[in-house]
Amino acid sequence: MAEVITMPRLSDTMTEGKVAKWHKQVGEKVKEGDILAEIETDKAVQDFESEVEGTLLYIGVEEGGAAAVDSVLAIIGNEGEDISALKGGNVPAAGASEEKKSEKESTTQDNTASAEPTTGEVPAGVDIITMPRLSDTMTEGKVAKWHKNVGDTVKEGDILAEIETDKAVQDFESEVDGVLLKQGVEEGGAASVDSILAIIGPAGTDVSAIGSKAPAQATEKPTEQKSETKKEEAVPAQAVNTSSSDRVAISPLAKKMAEDKGVDIHDIQGSGENGRIVKKDIENYQPSQKSSAAPVQAASAAAQVAVNFVQGEDTETQNSQVRNVIAKRLSESKFSAPHYYLMVEINMDKAIEARKEINSLPDTKISFNDMIIKATAVALRKHPQVNSSWAGDKIIHRGNINVGVAVAIPDGLVVPVLKNTDQMNYTQISAAVKDMASRAKTKALKANEMEGSTFSISNLGMFGIETFTSIINQPNSAILSVGAIIEKPIVKNGQIVVGNIMKLSLACDHRVVDGATGAQFLQTLKTYLENPLTLLL
């Protein structure tokens, strides 16, 4: 008799799990003790072993998908056994019936992305590929580019398409072999998570009855908007292709480690057989410290895509996923968190001298932005309340100091995160920021490289902006706005002299950071920047 395997609760705080990798595929024999899958919880990735023997008849959560605890993870039984009743009654949030479809919108974010959103019977040998959930906050994806067309042969591991999420553009690989019979979302179109992305099966199979209720936004775009969108997406897509579409020989463990660390595997030279990247290559990898093509400060505030001006003619630009999410998140932050602002002037004379001395060392090149990031991280150690988050009925005091650095990209803004910033030196900060800023402009950042920030910094000083205020990057409780270093008269020892002044503005969430707390944090930061040697104490 078939056994339903549910998503296990692997930690006390776990409410849902994500399948990082399947070790068994449908049709394979499973023995008691065999590792079925790797489950990613809110704390770690753990191997999940089978407690029963039989044949894997059904996978309830696709690789990379998430599902609530106790929902159907897999079904194991005798080969050929009828499990339709078990699937229909237990698969979370997505049966094929009209009643369940009507409930899907409200349950998608809490349930698995493995259901079959079809309206017809699936022919034998046909696999339905759904829009994957590529980040925790993703609700829909946009097809930036198709790498396979209808009628093309697809092999397991081939890149089907480039999917633009709310955070990045990622390659999406096929997990099955066959012929691409249908594209559920046109290039440039968007669709919600779990909806039909593609159908793969034997050549000549009729799949016209499947997916008749494909998402409207993927099919109802006017012709003019389609051509505009494709034209605008062409440059980013090509940029991503050059860096991320080539196949790389890498072991599964090394690939998982690289994803966890946010390492671009294309930058690593493998030491295994035939150049294969293995575990030790990831452990020994250090980010390149060579300068990127553009200075980091310029990369940190790249201008928005230029729009051609035509007298008397209105034009439109289709919003990207990044732009839509930015609008949503910033609105939520501004209207939900009570912002207030504190400003302070910093005398940067000693910081300028310190930077000159540091940059005089061989193979060393740091920016003022790097110095500000380091000083901010150390100041957060002394003021942990500023490194906290509002959680409704409680305040979460973060155990790590992860500074997010706002980077402007052509269609919006992203915030790459430097994990454990307070433990990094100037050189490490400089290399990491340059690397992430350059990859941000080509949408080559991994989703986990933009998650987990506890504090954010936005710098517009390179544009000559003396002072400005920013909107808090939730769930942070504060964001630091950095202005330009300006020469101006100051009073020093009773004399008027020329000083190098920089203005900082701190936006705080008053629910978490009181005015006095924010002021004390700024005073500590001022001390570190005006006396750089104090960072060594």
Side-chain angles (χ1 to χ4, degrees):
M1 181 177 177
E3 295 277 349
V4 176
I5 312 299
T6 58
M7 178 65 73
R9 188 184 301 275
L10 300 175
S11 74
D12 294 339
T13 57
M14 177 178 170
T15 58
E16 71 171 14
K18 180 178 180 181
V19 178
K21 180 178 177 62
W22 279 103
H23 285 261
K24 297 289 185 179
Q25 301 299 325
V26 173
E28 291 188 12
K29 297 291 184 182
V30 179
K31 295 181 180 180
E32 184 178 354
D34 284 355
I35 296 176
L36 271 182
E38 295 174 18
I39 306 296
E40 182 178 348
T41 74
D42 54 339
K43 296 181 178 178
V45 175
Q46 301 185 37
D47 291 336
F48 179 62
E49 298 181 359
S50 174
E51 298 179 355
V52 298
E53 295 188 359
T55 300
L56 183 57
L57 303 176
Y58 175 76
I59 287 178
V61 186
E62 65 181 9
E63 192 166 294
V69 169
D70 296 332
S71 59
V72 177
L73 177 66
I75 299 177
I76 296 175
N78 298 321
E79 190 171 353
E81 187 175 351
D82 182 11
I83 58 170
S84 56
L86 296 177
K87 288 197 297 181
N90 293 281
V91 176
S97 69
E98 293 299 323
E99 182 178 357
K100 288 186 178 180
K101 286 189 177 199
S102 66
E103 298 172 357
K104 182 177 178 181
E105 184 175 348
S106 62
T107 57
T108 296
Q109 60 187 359
D110 297 321
N111 291 308
T112 178
S114 66
E116 300 176 1
T118 64
T119 56
E121 186 176 348
V122 181
V126 170
D127 289 284
I128 297 174
I129 313 300
T130 57
M131 178 65 73
R133 188 188 302 277
L134 299 175
S135 76
D136 294 339
T137 56
M138 177 178 171
T139 58
E140 71 172 12
K142 181 177 181 180
V143 177
K145 181 178 176 64
W146 278 103
H147 284 259
K148 296 290 184 179
N149 296 314
V150 173
D152 289 352
T153 299
V154 179
K155 295 182 179 179
E156 183 179 355
D158 283 354
I159 296 175
L160 271 182
E162 294 171 19
I163 307 297
E164 181 180 348
T165 73
D166 55 337
K167 296 182 176 178
V169 175
Q170 301 188 37
D171 291 335
F172 179 64
E173 298 181 359
S174 173
E175 299 177 357
V176 297
D177 294 337
V179 173
L180 182 58
L181 304 175
K182 178 178 179 178
Q183 293 176 345
V185 185
E186 65 182 8
E187 190 167 295
S192 59
V193 169
D194 300 338
S195 58
I196 294 178
L197 177 65
I199 299 177
I200 297 175
T205 304
D206 181 12
V207 294
S208 58
I210 301 176
S212 59
K213 292 186 179 296
Q217 62 265 44
T219 59
E220 296 179 0
K221 293 180 179 288
T223 304
E224 290 182 5
Q225 290 187 0
K226 285 195 293 184
S227 62
E228 272 187 25
T229 304
K230 289 183 181 180
K231 190 172 183 179
E232 291 167 7
E233 291 294 327
V235 174
Q238 289 172 1
V240 174
N241 287 346
T242 59
S243 63
S244 61
S245 61
D246 297 333
R247 302 293 296 159
V248 176
I250 183 171
S251 72
L253 177 58
K255 185 175 182 180
K256 185 68 178 68
M257 290 175 63
E259 290 175 353
D260 290 342
K261 292 187 174 184
V263 173
D264 186 349
I265 60 177
H266 296 83
D267 294 340
I268 301 176
Q269 182 65 44
S271 60
E273 185 177 357
N274 297 321
R276 183 181 177 86
I277 298 172
V278 294
K279 176 183 177 182
K280 67 177 182 179
D281 299 322
I282 305 298
E283 293 176 335
N284 298 331
Y285 173 73
Q286 294 292 330
S288 173
Q289 296 181 12
K290 62 184 180 181
S291 299
S292 56
V296 61
Q297 289 190 341
S300 297
Q304 194 170 335
V305 173
V307 177
N308 292 329
F309 174 79
V310 180
Q311 184 68 42
E313 181 179 331
D314 294 341
T315 59
E316 296 179 354
T317 300
Q318 190 71 21
N319 285 344
S320 66
Q321 292 297 98
V322 173
R323 175 65 62 184
N324 285 332
V325 172
I326 288 172
K328 179 181 177 182
R329 298 283 168 75
L330 293 183
S331 297
E332 289 174 350
S333 177
K334 187 66 174 177
F335 299 132
S336 65
H339 287 53
Y340 72 92
Y341 304 93
L342 301 172
M343 299 182 187
V344 67
E345 287 190 348
I346 309 291
N347 187 328
M348 294 292 286
D349 289 344
K350 291 185 179 179
I352 291 172
E353 294 175 6
R355 178 174 177 263
K356 286 181 180 178
E357 291 184 14
I358 294 171
N359 285 346
S360 66
L361 299 174
D363 301 322
T364 304
K365 184 72 172 178
I366 69 167
S367 67
F368 290 115
N369 200 50
D370 302 329
M371 299 179 73
I372 293 165
I373 292 171
K374 175 64 176 177
T376 299
V378 177
L380 287 170
R381 280 186 197 165
K382 295 194 173 184
H383 302 277
Q385 189 71 18
V386 183
N387 197 56
S388 304
S389 299
W390 179 259
D393 59 346
K394 59 189 174 184
I395 294 175
I396 301 174
H397 305 288
R398 302 298 180 182
N400 293 321
I401 295 173
N402 302 330
V403 177
V405 182
V407 176
I409 58 176
D411 57 352
L413 184 79
V414 294
V415 186
V417 180
L418 303 179
K419 304 294 176 65
N420 299 310
T421 319
D422 57 319
Q423 300 174 26
M424 302 172 72
N425 59 37
Y426 284 138
T427 304
Q428 291 170 328
I429 290 173
S430 178
V433 172
K434 288 174 182 176
D435 172 56
M436 291 195 291
S438 61
R439 287 191 290 119
K441 294 197 296 181
T442 58
K443 298 183 180 180
L445 284 174
K446 304 291 190 298
N448 63 344
E449 292 178 298
M450 293 176 282
E451 296 175 347
S453 69
T454 60
F455 186 92
S456 301
I457 295 177
S458 179
N459 190 341
L460 292 179
M462 69 288 302
F463 292 116
I465 302 300
E466 292 189 44
T467 184
F468 67 104
T469 57
S470 302
I471 299 175
I472 296 170
N473 178 35
Q474 298 277 342
N476 301 171
S477 293
I479 182 170
L480 185 71
S481 303
V482 182
I485 299 175
I486 304 293
E487 283 190 338
K488 60 188 297 185
I490 62 172
V491 177
K492 189 174 183 179
N493 298 325
Q495 301 292 321
I496 297 177
V497 298
V498 176
N500 293 279
I501 302 300
M502 178 180 70
K503 292 183 180 179
L504 300 179
S505 172
L506 182 69
C508 301
D509 182 344
H510 215 320
R511 298 173 299 179
V512 181
V513 182
D514 293 330
T517 304
Q520 290 165 359
F521 167 78
L522 276 182
Q523 286 301 313
T524 301
L525 180 57
K526 177 183 173 76
T527 299
Y528 286 149
L529 290 174
E530 291 188 340
N531 302 281
L533 288 179
T534 57
L535 285 170
L536 304 177
L537 300 178

